[in-house]
């Protein structure tokens, strides 16, 4: 095996292995199984690998992509990034539902996958036709609606706990060309922030709108309020779309440091969002992510969110993304991904090399989210899983009413809990007893070496 220490691996690991083939993955898993070692997988390195101090399987060399323009599908290996997928589909005039960042890896197909197309075509995991995975006992199986459907259910929302994906087949969609919008960067002022959300409120349920926003303060610079807003579809004329943006500028009346608004194709937008995608992602030893949700943003909540953004320091950010649309069309019990009712995903990313500073900012975020329980517009226990810390602490809320079903599936596919990173879903011990899998009962608690770190 080829050993490597790649970007995105900051935690403490015993061994990092780059498999050259599917058989290599099978051999690694069987070795781990025999020795009761924990496993995790590194994909595109957008964020750190899920923490397992024993073995990390680095899929960086697994980058094949096969496009079928007739069926509008693609088969991708799990070392690819979304940039690789975008460049492969573009010549065919097709697009996959991917995240907004080119540096995101296939991991987004395991926990969600929110991007520009999600309000039209759902989350990335809603567009999976099948996974080819190596299970915890080292067997290569296919999971789809017709083959191993229980495993297919679990992989779409809790992938790392149920198998190691080596490839997957996804749906592709015709590229929409009638986008209008782009990026506006305001200087972050409380009145600007409030007026924007007041202005946007009437458009919340309109599926022709895609929105993501970030409050961010770079080192030594003022705080910015970044707005990525796009209107698509033929229900509005170009002049009507232009009038909406003119009304935005007039109503918000904020100080603009940068703007780039106009007609665009889907690929234009992705390129614009990723102009710095070749620049290495800054790495911090300590990272923390939390997410919550809101059904509406009242003036009181808007003020509270903005004030919190001032307390989390430099190089940390607070984002608000508009969900809903096709994401909410899928029943919450159709996949392991449970939180289909999100309207606004409100999330924080804290990055720091100073552990004490991280703890300080983490407390600000945690206390704020806890205080939101007093606001009926917020659902503190409902969140976008990809924007939340992957740890057992948030396991119950991550999967909601789907968790008991996932525990039963865990008892079938991974009773020894070899795949115990991230949310560390335990097997249902009643299933273990019924099937006389007594080893399951021995591994219902993580080993002392499974020290969970922030993502």
């Amino acid at each position: 095996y080829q050993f490597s220490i790649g970007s995105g691996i900051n935690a403490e690991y015993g061994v990092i292995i780059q498999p050259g083939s599917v058989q290599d993955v099978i051999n690694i898993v069987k070795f781990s199984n025999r020795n009761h070692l924990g496993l995790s997988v590194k994909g595109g390195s957008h964020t750190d690998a899920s923490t397992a101090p024993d073995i990390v399987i680095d899929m960086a060399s697994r980058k094949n992509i096969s496009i079928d323009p007739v069926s509008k599908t693609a088969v991708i290996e799990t070392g690819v990034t979304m940039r690789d997928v975008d460049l492969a589909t573009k010549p065919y005039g097709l697009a996959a539902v991917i995240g907004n960042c080119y540096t995101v890896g296939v991991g987004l197909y395991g926990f969600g996958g929110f991007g520009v197309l999600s309000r039209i075509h759902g989350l990335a995991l809603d567009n999976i036709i099948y996974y080819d995975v190596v299970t915890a006992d080292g067997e290569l199986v296919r999971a789809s609606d017709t083959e191993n459907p229980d495993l297919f259910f679990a992989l779409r929302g809790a992938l790392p706990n149920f198998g190691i994906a080596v490839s997957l087949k996804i749906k592709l969609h015709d590229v929409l060309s009638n986008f209008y919008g782009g990026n506006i960067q305001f200087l972050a002022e409380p009145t600007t922030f409030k007026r924007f959300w007041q202005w946007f409120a009437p458009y919340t349920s309109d599926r022709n709108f895609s929105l993501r926003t970030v409050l961010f303060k770079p080192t030594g610079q003022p705080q910015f309020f970044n707005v990525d807003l796009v209107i698509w579809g033929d229900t509005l004329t170009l002049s009507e779309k232009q009038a909406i943006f003119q009304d935005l500028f007039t109503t918000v009346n904020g100080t603009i440091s940068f703007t780039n608004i106009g007609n665009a194709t889907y690929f234009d937008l992705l390129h614009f969002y990723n102009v710095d995608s070749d620049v290495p992602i800054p790495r911090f030893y300590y990272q923390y992510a939390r997410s919550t949700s809101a059904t509406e943003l009242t003036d009181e909540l808007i003020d509270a969110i903005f004030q919190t953004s001032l307390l989390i320091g430099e190089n940390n950010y607070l984002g608000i993304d508009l969900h809903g649309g096709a994401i909410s069309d899928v029943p919450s019990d159709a996949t392991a991904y449970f939180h289909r009712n999100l309207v606004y995903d409100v999330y924080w990313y804290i990055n720091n090399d100073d552990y004490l500073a991280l703890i300080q900012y983490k407390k600000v975020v945690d206390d704020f989210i806890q205080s939101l329980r007093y606001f009926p517009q917020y659902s503190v226990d409902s969140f976008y899983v990809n924007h939340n810390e992957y740890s057992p602490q948030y396991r119950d809320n991550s999967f909601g009413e789907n968790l008991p079903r996932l525990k039963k599936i865990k008892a079938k596919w991974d009773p020894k809990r070899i795949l115990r990173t991230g949310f560390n879903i335990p097997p249902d011990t009643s299933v273990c007893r019924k099937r006389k899998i007594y080893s399951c009962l021995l591994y219902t608690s993580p080993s002392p070496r499974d020290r969970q770190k922030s993502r």
Side-chain angles (χ1 to χ4, degrees), residues 400-412:
E401 295 173 11
N402 290 333
L403 185 59
R405 182 178 175 186
L406 289 170
K407 288 181 178 180
K408 288 181 170 61
I409 299 171
K410 184 73 169 179
K412 175 181 176 181

Side-chain angles (χ1 to χ4, degrees), residues 7 26 39 55 63 67 75 116 119 179 183 188 195-196 289 299 321 328 337 352 404 413 423 455:
S7 63
I26 292 171
L39 282 172
I55 298 176
K63 286 184 172 290
I67 309 294
V75 177
V116 176
R119 282 171 57 83
F179 283 75
N183 173 261
R195 284 195 292 255
F196 173 81
D299 290 351
D321 291 348
S328 301
Y337 183 90
N352 214 294
W413 290 96
F423 295 112
R455 192 174 67 150

Side-chain angles (χ1 to χ4, degrees), residues 8-50:
I9 301 180
N10 291 332
E12 301 169 4
Y13 302 107
V15 178
I16 301 165
I17 306 173
Q18 275 194 0
S21 65
V22 173
Q23 186 59 51
D24 284 348
V25 177
I26 292 171
N27 292 342
I28 295 167
V29 173
K30 287 184 175 180
F31 174 83
S32 176
N33 202 313
R34 288 195 302 270
N35 294 278
H36 311 301
L37 299 173
L39 282 172
S40 67
V41 179
K42 184 176 83 72
S45 295
H46 177 69
T47 54
D48 291 348
S50 298

